Amino acid sequence: MDVTGDETRAAWAVASRKYEDEYAEHLTEARTVELLPEEVATLGDLVVGADVVHPMSGHGLDDIALARLGARSVHGLDYSEAALSSAQRRADELGMPCRYTRAVMPESGLDDASADLVYTGKGALIWLPDLPAFFAEVHRLLRAGGWFYVYEAHPLVPLWAWDPDEIRVRPDRSYFARSHVNDSFPANGAVERQHTLSEIVMACQRAGFEIEHLDEYPEPFWRPGYLNAAAAWDGRLPNSFSLLARRA
């Protein structure tokens, strides 16, 4: 996570309290949580018996879903101590093979070739200022033949206004901008990094990966709680994408 900016660091210090405040809610969700159907369809049996590393793991619910799919172990990495401690407590309560370590990506602090699968996304890439460095670290973490999987908000999403009755592009945003100030979550001046889809794909290839799958979806993986519907979510626009790549 890019924590070099004072505003971004301060915003996440406040936002991270939710991991502790919503512990009981997340524990209830964790008892039955699953990956999205699109994720399961793409990952297939790759998770079974795998040692998984999850950079920027957040609340850790995806880690429990990965363990439930058959992962041998899941190692979550995050900047937030609140996220790490609550995720570890939750995994321990449920008897899941998950452990957590503090890391500021792209430096994971883990050994070379320590994973069969690196899983990330759902609000991760937008906090990374240096994609090539991150992808190089993922490549280093994977064993030969290992897999890198991303499920993430589509890079066009920052452009969509959330009007309920009309699709509209925000006049204050550009697809080719390098960053913008987040005004949803965590807000409070946090700066999101923008990467075009081509930049993501090419950074992945240049890091030494062979791309096996790339797909785009109309459904967003996250919706602000104060919105019931938005025209941008009616199936005509891309709101998420997934990428699966193999380390040769």
Side-chain angles (χ1 to χ4, degrees):
M1 180 181 292
D2 177 20
V3 293
T4 56
D6 291 340
E7 294 85 357
T8 302
R9 187 165 52 246
W12 274 108
V14 173
S16 291
R17 297 172 189 164
K18 78 188 299 294
Y19 297 120
E20 296 170 334
D21 295 342
E22 299 175 7
Y23 180 83
E25 176 184 335
H26 286 154
L27 179 60
T28 298
E29 186 177 351
R31 296 187 188 281
T32 58
V33 69
E34 297 178 349
L35 294 183
L36 297 172
E38 297 90 343
E39 296 180 279
V40 175
T42 302
L43 287 172
D45 294 331
L46 299 179
V47 179
V48 178
D51 292 319
V52 182
V53 171
H54 182 185
M56 305 171 77
S57 54
H59 52 44
L61 294 181
D62 287 330
D63 305 329
I64 291 174
L66 287 162
R68 191 165 283 135
L69 275 177
R72 179 168 62 178
S73 68
V74 185
H75 195 156
L77 308 173
D78 204 90
Y79 166 74
S80 167
E81 291 287 1
L84 296 170
S85 62
S86 61
Q88 188 66 70
R89 177 184 165 197
R90 190 160 39 247
D92 291 345
E93 284 194 47
L94 297 176
M96 293 294 181
C98 305
R99 67 190 189 280
Y100 294 89
T101 302
R102 187 178 186 276
V104 180
M105 300 303 297
E107 300 297 329
S108 70
L110 303 184
D111 293 337
D112 293 354
S114 56
D116 302 300
L117 169 67
V118 173
Y119 169 98
T120 197
K122 296 179 181 173
L125 299 187
I126 58 176
W127 305 112
L128 293 168
D130 190 340
L131 274 186
F134 175 68
F135 282 29
E137 178 69 357
V138 170
H139 190 274
R140 185 187 70 80
L141 290 175
L142 283 168
R143 296 165 184 146
W147 297 92
F148 176 38
Y149 181 76
V150 175
Y151 191 98
E152 188 59 275
H154 197 284
L156 281 168
V157 164
L159 274 64
W160 308 148
W162 289 332
D163 298 312
D165 55 353
E166 179 183 3
I167 293 175
R168 185 171 63 86
V169 174
R170 292 179 56 147
D172 61 333
R173 300 269 177 91
S174 165
Y175 182 67
F176 297 102
R178 306 317 305 157
S179 65
H180 64 268
V181 177
N182 176 285
D183 57 11
S184 55
F185 180 84
N188 295 314
V191 176
E192 286 188 22
R193 305 295 176 154
Q194 291 182 222
H195 312 287
T196 67
L197 190 60
S198 63
E199 287 172 337
I200 294 168
V201 169
M202 294 309 298
C204 187
Q205 286 189 331
R206 288 167 181 156
F209 288 100
E210 297 175 356
I211 294 175
E212 301 284 342
H213 159 96
L214 178 65
D215 207 351
E216 300 167 286
Y217 313 101
E219 300 83 11
F221 69 82
W222 177 77
R223 304 172 188 239
Y226 57 85
L227 283 179
N228 293 322
W233 303 336
D234 70 0
R236 290 181 286 168
L237 298 176
N239 280 284
S240 54
F241 78 97
S242 65
L243 180 151
L244 179 68
R246 181 177 175 273
R247 185 194 193 280

